Amino acid sequence: QPPQVLNLPALTEVGIDSIDEHRSNGGEFILFDDLADPLCSTLNEVSEDDDTPVFGKLPDGSWLMYDPRLKLEENTPTSHLEDGGGLIQSLTGGESRCVNAPRTFLNENECTLSFSSTACGSSGTPDVEIELSADNIALLHTITGQYVYGVLGLPVVDHENTSLESPCTVGLRSRWEIKDAGECTHSTLGVETNATLVDLLSKSSDTNRYVRDIIFPTRGYSCTVDDTLALDDVELVIGSVCYKRVHPDHMSVYDFTYWTLEDTHPGNMVAAMEGEYNPIMKWMDLDNNVFLTYPSFPSGDVPNHSIGRWNTHSTKFPMLGRFGDTVLFVDLPNEIRLDEVAQHFGESSSIGGSGVVVCGSPYEAPNDPEEGYQFDVSTRRNIDLWDLSSQREHLWVMVGLTSEDQLRQRVAWALSQLLVVVPGAISIADSHTEAFLTYYDIFVRNAFGNYGDILREISYSPLMAENLSFLQSKS
């Protein structure tokens, strides 16, 4: 059975209807009512490519697969997004863009001043920053329910005598824990090795207070040949600071929630059978500890864990950064990049100011899922093979053939032949349908109006600005 399964009502019940029959041969359905399944509260607010698929099981035993679709927000002058879409931009990790429209005669009377911590303007969305400190890691767990830990205990040499590559390996990133000089004894190394590692550590631009990462250059540095295989347990004292060689993931912060599930970590099922607490959850829930210690050389009945085991499983843990790093909200893993997190850390940061003027744009309406799959939009991961550049023509033909206001449509078409934008002059001509439809709608709205109003409105159109090359012009 798939890992994420929702229990769906029967297809014959009210609230679930067939949709897009002509595209799916009757194989797609839309659910209008909320589901009471507990799994719903654990799903991500924003779907991403690498999310685990979500399946639905019908009472008759048949299966459906959740097909996420884009949700377009209303952003009209009289009902614009409070922060100009900055929060959505952050929640989607920058995949969506700020929709705060330029202030023009079309919307200036309805623009508002936003003091939202996520309000975006001409300079983009403010960067909500989060320091990966003990307090903030605990807060991320409290807000999201995810088990976020810094990891300790990863070995440089494990119980199988498997060791890390030498830090003198060209292109290798090695990590060094920062300690007081009195805690260490400077290791005896060859002259070249000692000089090289001391120089790289001293000149590193890494500002983390707890660890320092260096990458061995391709040229200009070398190590003593005899030291190449003898650099496992190295301590270097430079002034009042000691740098101790550690595992490259030592003190990295990960979302370990995947490993808390019953069928992902062998110790979870064993603990459950013996009436013990989940071995991954216990660090946070019982010990209030934001660090998880990897059992490389554990005591008691826990088996030794090798470096290879960590290398195999760590790919399943989304990484936030290193303990002590300051990271951007938009760079957080999807499961942690939640509205509540943005609001909490946005309000507590220093990005607030005198406010941002936020405006909507005419007729920027939301989409209606009941209408089905009408036309595609451009993304950086388009997989549809049909020609997006012809889509606006298909829509124009559809409206022209079926619309009841035939005179308006004919006048609009005539005006569009006089006030032309050349697709070849527009950078998004082959991929963005909505921008061209928005321009054409100027003629549809003003077909029976004043020609001067049309000229004024197209003068503020970004397509005309690019077409006539005065977009961002300094002349």
Side-chain angles (χ1 to χ4, degrees):
Q1 178 168 302
Q4 297 192 132
V5 179
L6 294 168
N7 294 306
L8 300 177
L11 297 179
T12 55
E13 293 186 20
V14 176
I16 185 167
D17 295 329
S18 180
I19 196 170
D20 291 330
E21 292 91 344
H22 63 290
R23 294 176 66 111
S24 65
N25 295 318
E28 292 195 6
F29 304 87
I30 184 170
L31 180 67
F32 295 100
D33 298 331
D34 292 339
L35 286 175
D37 196 303
L39 178 63
C40 292
S41 62
T42 68
L43 301 179
N44 298 331
E45 292 187 16
V46 178
S47 297
E48 292 190 337
D49 289 345
D50 56 356
D51 285 353
T52 303
V54 179
F55 292 87
K57 190 173 185 180
L58 297 168
D60 63 3
S62 57
W63 294 83
L64 298 175
M65 181 172 151
Y66 172 58
D67 182 14
R69 298 293 173 88
L70 286 177
K71 176 185 178 183
L72 304 182
E73 301 282 356
E74 180 176 0
N75 190 48
T76 59
T78 56
S79 184
H80 55 259
L81 295 176
E82 179 186 359
D83 64 352
L87 177 60
I88 297 173
Q89 183 177 5
S90 295
L91 292 177
T92 59
E95 291 293 330
S96 64
R97 302 298 176 87
C98 178
V99 296
N100 189 355
R103 187 176 182 180
T104 69
F105 74 97
L106 294 166
N107 58 19
E108 61 184 351
N109 293 329
E110 290 86 17
C111 294
T112 59
L113 192 62
S114 175
F115 293 95
S116 170
S117 59
T118 56
C120 62
S122 58
S123 59
T125 303
D127 292 330
V128 177
E129 297 180 340
I130 302 173
E131 181 185 356
L132 295 179
S133 64
D135 289 342
N136 286 343
I137 291 174
L139 268 173
L140 289 174
H141 168 70
T142 301
I143 295 172
T144 67
Q146 300 293 110
Y147 284 85
V148 179
Y149 295 112
V151 63
L152 301 175
L154 294 170
V156 177
V157 182
D158 66 11
H159 70 282
E160 298 174 344
N161 207 32
T162 301
S163 61
L164 302 176
E165 286 189 80
S166 166
C168 294
T169 304
V170 173
L172 181 76
R173 174 182 62 84
S174 60
R175 180 163 296 178
W176 304 74
E177 184 175 0
I178 300 174
K179 296 173 169 287
D180 291 334
E183 300 179 65
C184 303
T185 300
H186 194 97
S187 300
T188 302
L189 302 172
V191 175
E192 282 185 283
T193 304
N194 186 81
T196 290
L197 294 177
V198 167
D199 195 52
L200 290 174
L201 288 166
S202 300
K203 293 181 178 179
S204 172
S205 59
D206 192 346
T207 58
N208 190 286
R209 304 192 306 273
Y210 305 99
V211 293
R212 179 156 298 177
D213 288 355
I214 59 173
I215 298 176
F216 200 88
T218 56
R219 62 185 66 179
Y221 289 90
S222 61
C223 291
T224 307
V225 176
D226 293 342
D227 287 334
T228 303
L229 299 177
L231 295 173
D232 296 330
D233 190 15
V234 178
E235 295 178 344
L236 299 175
V237 177
I238 305 174
S240 61
V241 179
C242 168
Y243 296 93
K244 178 178 175 61
R245 174 84 190 282
V246 292
H247 190 280
D249 294 332
H250 175 73
M251 296 189 80
S252 288
V253 179
Y254 294 90
D255 180 0
F256 282 92
T257 306
Y258 170 81
W259 234 0
T260 66
L261 305 178
E262 180 181 335
D263 56 349
T264 57
H265 185 280
N268 297 345
M269 188 173 295
V270 173
M273 293 171 59
E274 296 179 354
E276 298 178 356
Y277 206 82
N278 184 292
I280 307 301
M281 295 180 177
K282 70 175 184 179
W283 300 93
M284 186 73 73
D285 293 350
L286 302 183
D287 302 335
N288 294 318
N289 195 342
V290 299
F291 284 100
L292 178 149
T293 301
Y294 187 77
S296 301
F297 304 99
S299 59
D301 58 353
V302 179
N304 293 328
H305 286 42
S306 66
I307 293 177
R309 181 169 178 170
W310 169 257
N311 293 339
T312 298
H313 293 287
S314 62
T315 57
K316 301 180 176 68
F317 314 139
M319 182 178 173
L320 283 69
R322 301 172 302 176
F323 186 78
D325 282 347
T326 296
V327 298
L328 298 179
F329 171 81
V330 296
D331 294 332
L332 292 175
N334 193 25
E335 294 80 4
I336 298 174
R337 203 172 57 240
L338 304 183
D339 185 350
E340 295 83 356
V341 174
Q343 295 293 349
H344 176 85
F345 287 98
E347 291 171 0
S348 62
S349 70
S350 58
I351 63 175
S354 56
V356 176
V357 176
V358 177
C359 308
S361 56
Y363 303 96
E364 190 174 343
N367 60 330
D368 183 356
E370 296 183 39
E371 295 295 332
Y373 198 43
Q374 294 295 326
F375 67 92
D376 285 328
V377 297
S378 175
T379 71
R380 282 185 280 178
R381 300 182 180 86
N382 266 102
I383 57 174
D384 291 321
L385 300 179
W386 77 295
D387 188 4
L388 275 173
S389 63
S390 300
Q391 180 171 242
R392 57 181 177 272
E393 299 170 10
H394 301 159
L395 294 174
W396 177 82
V397 170
M398 180 182 70
V399 171
L401 292 176
T402 63
S403 179
E404 296 182 0
D405 55 351
Q406 287 292 306
L407 179 58
R408 178 182 294 276
Q409 297 300 326
R410 295 186 183 198
V411 173
W413 181 83
L415 290 169
S416 71
Q417 305 309 296
L418 299 174
L419 303 168
V420 178
V421 291
V422 181
I426 309 300
S427 61
I428 59 172
D430 292 335
S431 57
H432 288 60
T433 300
E434 190 175 6
F436 284 89
L437 297 181
T438 300
Y439 181 79
Y440 189 84
D441 279 348
I442 296 174
F443 308 123
V444 176
R445 292 195 305 271
N446 295 284
F448 304 141
N450 186 289
Y451 191 65
D453 292 338
I454 298 176
L455 293 178
R456 188 182 186 195
E457 191 165 342
I458 66 168
S459 297
Y460 283 85
S461 166
L463 262 64
M464 184 59 75
E466 188 172 358
N467 181 74
L468 297 181
S469 71
F470 65 80
L471 179 66
Q472 298 180 340
S473 172
K474 294 181 173 61
S475 61

